[in-house]
Coordinates of all heavy atoms in Angstrom, one line a residue:
L256 N -4.8 -1.6 8.4 CA -4.1 -1.5 7.1 C -5.0 -1.7 6.0 O -4.9 -1.0 5.0 CB -3.0 -2.6 7.2 CG -1.7 -2.4 7.9 CD1 -0.9 -3.7 8.1 CD2 -0.8 -1.3 7.1
E281 N -1.0 -5.5 -1.0 CA -0.4 -4.2 -0.8 C 0.0 -4.0 0.7 O 0.9 -3.2 1.0 CB -1.3 -3.1 -1.2 CG -1.5 -3.0 -2.7 CD -0.3 -2.3 -3.4 OE1 0.8 -2.2 -2.8 OE2 -0.4 -2.0 -4.6
T282 N -0.6 -4.8 1.6 CA -0.3 -4.5 3.0 C 0.7 -5.6 3.6 O 1.0 -5.5 4.8 CB -1.6 -4.6 3.8 OG1 -2.2 -5.9 3.8 CG2 -2.7 -3.6 3.3
V283 N 1.1 -6.5 2.8 CA 1.9 -7.7 3.4 C 3.1 -7.3 4.2 O 3.2 -7.8 5.4 CB 2.4 -8.6 2.2 CG1 3.4 -9.6 2.7 CG2 1.2 -9.4 1.7
P284 N 4.0 -6.4 3.8 CA 5.2 -6.1 4.6 C 4.9 -5.4 5.9 O 5.8 -5.2 6.7 CB 6.1 -5.3 3.7 CG 5.2 -4.7 2.8 CD 4.0 -5.6 2.6
F285 N 3.7 -4.9 6.1 CA 3.4 -4.0 7.3 C 2.6 -4.8 8.4 O 2.4 -4.2 9.5 CB 2.7 -2.8 6.8 CG 3.3 -2.1 5.7 CD1 2.9 -2.3 4.4 CD2 4.3 -1.2 5.9 CE1 3.5 -1.6 3.3 CE2 4.9 -0.5 4.9 CZ 4.5 -0.7 3.5
K286 N 2.2 -6.0 8.1 CA 1.2 -6.7 8.9 C 1.7 -7.0 10.3 O 1.0 -7.1 11.3 CB 0.7 -7.9 8.2 CG -0.3 -7.6 7.1 CD -0.8 -8.9 6.4 CE -1.8 -8.6 5.4 NZ -2.4 -9.8 4.8
E287 N 3.0 -7.3 10.4 CA 3.6 -7.8 11.7 C 4.4 -6.7 12.4 O 5.0 -7.0 13.4 CB 4.4 -9.1 11.4 CG 3.6 -10.2 10.9 CD 4.3 -11.5 10.9 OE1 5.3 -11.7 11.6 OE2 3.9 -12.4 10.2
L288 N 4.3 -5.5 11.9 CA 5.0 -4.4 12.6 C 4.2 -4.0 13.8 O 3.0 -4.1 13.9 CB 5.2 -3.2 11.6 CG 6.1 -3.4 10.4 CD1 5.9 -2.2 9.5 CD2 7.5 -3.6 10.8
P289 N 4.9 -3.3 14.8 CA 4.1 -2.7 15.8 C 3.2 -1.7 15.3 O 3.5 -1.1 14.2 CB 5.2 -2.0 16.7 CG 6.5 -2.7 16.3 CD 6.3 -3.2 14.9
P290 N 2.0 -1.5 15.9 CA 1.0 -0.6 15.3 C 1.4 0.8 14.8 O 1.1 1.2 13.7 CB -0.1 -0.5 16.4 CG 0.1 -1.8 17.2 CD 1.6 -2.1 17.1
E291 N 2.2 1.5 15.7 CA 2.6 2.8 15.3 C 3.5 2.8 14.1 O 3.5 3.7 13.3 CB 3.2 3.6 16.5 CG 2.2 4.0 17.5 CD 1.1 4.9 16.9 OE1 1.4 5.8 16.2 OE2 -0.1 4.6 17.2
Q292 N 4.4 1.9 14.1 CA 5.4 1.8 13.0 C 4.6 1.4 11.7 O 4.9 2.0 10.6 CB 6.5 0.8 13.2 CG 7.5 0.8 12.1 CD 8.7 -0.2 12.4 OE1 8.6 -1.1 13.2 NE2 9.8 0.0 11.7
A293 N 3.7 0.5 11.8 CA 2.9 0.1 10.6 C 2.1 1.2 10.1 O 2.1 1.5 8.9 CB 2.0 -1.1 11.0
R294 N 1.5 2.0 11.0 CA 0.7 3.2 10.6 C 1.5 4.2 9.8 O 1.2 4.6 8.7 CB 0.1 3.8 11.9 CG -0.8 5.0 11.7 CD -1.2 5.6 13.0 NE -2.3 6.5 13.0 CZ -2.2 7.8 12.7 NH1 -1.0 8.3 12.4 NH2 -3.2 8.6 12.7
A295 N 2.7 4.6 10.4 CA 3.5 5.6 9.8 C 4.1 5.1 8.5 O 4.1 5.9 7.5 CB 4.6 6.1 10.8
A296 N 4.6 3.9 8.5 CA 5.3 3.4 7.3 C 4.3 3.2 6.1 O 4.6 3.4 5.0 CB 6.0 2.1 7.6
F297 N 3.1 2.7 6.5 CA 2.1 2.4 5.4 C 1.6 3.7 4.8 O 1.4 3.8 3.6 CB 0.9 1.6 5.9 CG 0.0 1.2 4.8 CD1 0.4 0.3 3.8 CD2 -1.3 1.7 4.6 CE1 -0.4 -0.1 2.8 CE2 -2.1 1.4 3.6 CZ -1.6 0.4 2.7
F298 N 1.5 4.8 5.6 CA 1.1 6.1 5.0 C 2.2 6.5 4.0 O 1.8 7.0 2.9 CB 0.9 7.1 6.1 CG -0.2 6.9 7.0 CD1 -1.1 5.8 6.9 CD2 -0.5 7.8 8.1 CE1 -2.1 5.6 7.8 CE2 -1.6 7.6 8.9 CZ -2.4 6.5 8.8
E299 N 3.4 6.4 4.4 CA 4.5 6.8 3.5 C 4.6 5.9 2.3 O 4.9 6.4 1.2 CB 5.8 6.8 4.2 CG 5.9 7.9 5.3 CD 5.5 9.3 4.9 OE1 6.0 9.7 3.8 OE2 4.7 9.9 5.6
Y300 N 4.2 4.7 2.4 CA 4.2 3.8 1.2 C 3.1 4.3 0.3 O 3.3 4.3 -1.0 CB 3.9 2.4 1.7 CG 3.6 1.4 0.5 CD1 4.6 1.3 -0.5 CD2 2.4 0.7 0.4 CE1 4.4 0.4 -1.6 CE2 2.2 -0.1 -0.7 CZ 3.2 -0.3 -1.7 OH 2.9 -1.1 -2.8
D311 N 8.5 10.1 2.9 CA 9.6 10.1 3.9 C 10.2 8.7 4.0 O 9.7 7.8 4.7 CB 9.1 10.5 5.3 CG 10.1 10.7 6.3 OD1 11.3 10.3 6.1 OD2 9.9 11.3 7.4
W312 N 11.4 8.5 3.3 CA 12.0 7.2 3.3 C 12.7 6.8 4.6 O 13.0 5.7 4.8 CB 13.0 7.2 2.1 CG 12.3 7.3 0.8 CD1 12.0 8.5 0.1 CD2 11.7 6.3 0.1 NE1 11.3 8.2 -1.0 CE2 11.0 6.8 -1.1 CE3 11.6 4.9 0.3 CZ2 10.3 6.0 -2.0 CZ3 10.8 4.1 -0.6 CH2 10.2 4.7 -1.7
N313 N 12.9 7.8 5.4 CA 13.5 7.5 6.8 C 12.5 6.8 7.6 O 12.8 6.1 8.6 CB 13.9 8.8 7.5 CG 15.2 9.4 6.8 OD1 16.1 8.7 6.4 ND2 15.2 10.7 6.8
V314 N 11.2 6.9 7.2 CA 10.1 6.2 7.9 C 9.8 4.9 7.2 O 9.7 3.8 7.8 CB 8.8 7.0 8.0 CG1 7.6 6.2 8.5 CG2 9.1 8.3 8.8
L315 N 9.8 4.9 5.9 CA 9.4 3.7 5.1 C 10.4 2.6 5.0 O 10.2 1.5 5.2 CB 8.9 4.1 3.7 CG 8.5 3.0 2.7 CD1 7.4 2.2 3.3 CD2 8.1 3.6 1.4
N316 N 11.7 3.0 4.7 CA 12.7 2.0 4.5 C 13.0 1.1 5.7 O 13.1 -0.1 5.5 CB 14.0 2.7 4.0 CG 14.0 2.9 2.5 OD1 13.3 2.3 1.8 ND2 14.9 3.8 2.0
P317 N 13.1 1.6 6.9 CA 13.3 0.7 8.0 C 12.2 -0.4 8.2 O 12.5 -1.5 8.5 CB 13.3 1.7 9.3 CG 13.8 3.0 8.7 CD 13.1 3.0 7.3
A318 N 11.0 0.0 7.9 CA 9.9 -1.0 8.0 C 10.1 -2.0 6.9 O 9.9 -3.2 7.2 CB 8.6 -0.2 7.9
L319 N 10.4 -1.6 5.7 CA 10.5 -2.6 4.6 C 11.7 -3.5 4.8 O 11.7 -4.7 4.6 CB 10.7 -1.8 3.3 CG 9.5 -1.0 2.7 CD1 9.9 -0.3 1.5 CD2 8.3 -2.0 2.5
L320 N 12.8 -2.9 5.4 CA 14.0 -3.7 5.6 C 13.8 -4.7 6.7 O 14.3 -5.8 6.7 CB 15.2 -2.8 5.9 CG 15.7 -2.0 4.7 CD1 16.7 -1.0 5.2 CD2 16.4 -3.0 3.7
K321 N 13.0 -4.3 7.7 CA 12.6 -5.3 8.8 C 11.9 -6.5 8.2 O 12.1 -7.6 8.6 CB 11.8 -4.6 9.8 CG 11.4 -5.5 11.0 CD 10.6 -4.7 12.0 CE 11.3 -3.7 12.8 NZ 10.6 -3.1 13.9
F322 N 11.0 -6.2 7.3 CA 10.3 -7.3 6.6 C 11.2 -8.2 5.8 O 11.2 -9.4 5.8 CB 9.2 -6.7 5.6 CG 8.5 -7.7 4.8 CD1 7.6 -8.6 5.3 CD2 8.8 -7.9 3.4 CE1 6.9 -9.6 4.5 CE2 8.2 -8.8 2.7 CZ 7.2 -9.7 3.2
A323 N 12.2 -7.5 5.1 CA 13.2 -8.3 4.3 C 14.0 -9.2 5.2 O 14.2 -10.4 4.9 CB 14.1 -7.3 3.6
D324 N 14.4 -8.7 6.4 CA 15.2 -9.5 7.3 C 14.4 -10.8 7.7 O 15.0 -11.9 7.9 CB 15.6 -8.7 8.5 CG 16.7 -7.7 8.2 OD1 17.3 -7.8 7.1 OD2 16.8 -6.7 8.9
K325 N 13.1 -10.6 7.9 CA 12.2 -11.7 8.3 C 12.1 -12.7 7.1 O 12.1 -13.9 7.3 CB 10.9 -11.3 8.7 CG 10.0 -12.4 9.2 CD 8.6 -11.9 9.7 CE 7.8 -13.0 10.3 NZ 7.7 -14.2 9.4
V326 N 12.0 -12.2 5.9 CA 11.9 -13.0 4.7 C 13.2 -13.9 4.6 O 13.1 -15.1 4.3 CB 11.7 -12.2 3.4 CG1 11.9 -13.1 2.2 CG2 10.3 -11.6 3.4
I344 N 10.4 -10.9 -2.6 CA 11.0 -9.6 -2.8 C 11.3 -9.2 -4.3 O 10.8 -8.3 -4.8 CB 12.3 -9.5 -1.9 CG1 12.0 -9.7 -0.5 CG2 13.0 -8.1 -2.2 CD1 13.2 -9.7 0.4
W351 N 5.9 -2.1 -3.3 CA 6.7 -2.2 -2.1 C 7.9 -3.2 -2.4 O 8.9 -3.1 -1.8 CB 5.9 -2.7 -0.9 CG 5.1 -4.0 -1.0 CD1 3.8 -4.1 -1.2 CD2 5.7 -5.3 -0.7 NE1 3.5 -5.5 -1.1 CE2 4.6 -6.2 -0.9 CE3 7.0 -5.8 -0.5 CZ2 4.8 -7.6 -0.7 CZ3 7.2 -7.2 -0.3 CH2 6.1 -8.0 -0.4
Q352 N 7.7 -4.2 -3.3 CA 8.8 -5.1 -3.6 C 9.9 -4.3 -4.4 O 11.1 -4.5 -4.1 CB 8.3 -6.2 -4.5 CG 7.4 -7.2 -3.7 CD 6.8 -8.3 -4.6 OE1 6.4 -8.0 -5.7 NE2 6.9 -9.5 -4.2
F354 N 10.5 -1.0 -4.1 CA 11.1 -0.1 -3.2 C 12.1 -0.9 -2.2 O 13.1 -0.4 -1.9 CB 10.0 0.6 -2.3 CG 9.1 1.5 -3.1 CD1 7.8 1.7 -2.6 CD2 9.5 2.1 -4.3 CE1 7.0 2.5 -3.3 CE2 8.7 2.9 -5.0 CZ 7.4 3.1 -4.5
L355 N 11.6 -2.1 -1.9 CA 12.4 -2.9 -1.0 C 13.7 -3.4 -1.6 O 14.8 -3.4 -1.0 CB 11.6 -4.1 -0.5 CG 12.3 -5.1 0.5 CD1 13.0 -4.4 1.6 CD2 11.3 -6.1 1.0
A356 N 13.6 -3.8 -2.9 CA 14.8 -4.3 -3.6 C 15.8 -3.1 -3.7 O 17.0 -3.4 -3.5 CB 14.4 -4.7 -5.0
A358 N 16.0 -0.6 -1.5 CA 16.5 -0.4 -0.2 C 17.6 -1.4 0.2 O 18.6 -1.1 0.9 CB 15.4 -0.4 0.8
L359 N 17.4 -2.6 -0.2 CA 18.4 -3.7 0.1 C 19.7 -3.4 -0.7 O 20.8 -3.6 -0.1 CB 17.8 -5.0 -0.3 CG 16.8 -5.6 0.6 CD1 16.1 -6.8 0.0 CD2 17.4 -6.1 2.0
R362 N 21.5 -0.6 1.1 CA 22.0 -1.1 2.4 C 23.3 -1.9 2.1 O 24.3 -1.8 2.9 CB 21.0 -1.9 3.2 CG 21.6 -2.4 4.5 CD 20.5 -3.0 5.4 NE 20.1 -4.3 4.9 CZ 19.2 -5.1 5.6 NH1 18.6 -4.7 6.7 NH2 18.9 -6.3 5.1

Side-chain angles (χ1 to χ4, degrees):
L256 279 167
E281 290 285 9
T282 68
V283 167
F285 309 95
K286 288 181 176 181
E287 295 188 22
L288 293 172
E291 285 306 311
Q292 185 179 19
R294 183 184 193 275
F297 188 68
F298 292 3
E299 294 310 312
Y300 172 60
D311 186 343
W312 293 94
N313 290 323
V314 172
L315 178 54
N316 274 342
L319 292 177
L320 289 170
K321 182 181 289 188
F322 174 75
D324 290 339
K325 185 177 186 306
V326 169
I344 299 175
W351 61 259
Q352 292 175 316
F354 298 151
L355 178 49
L359 285 167
R362 184 171 72 175

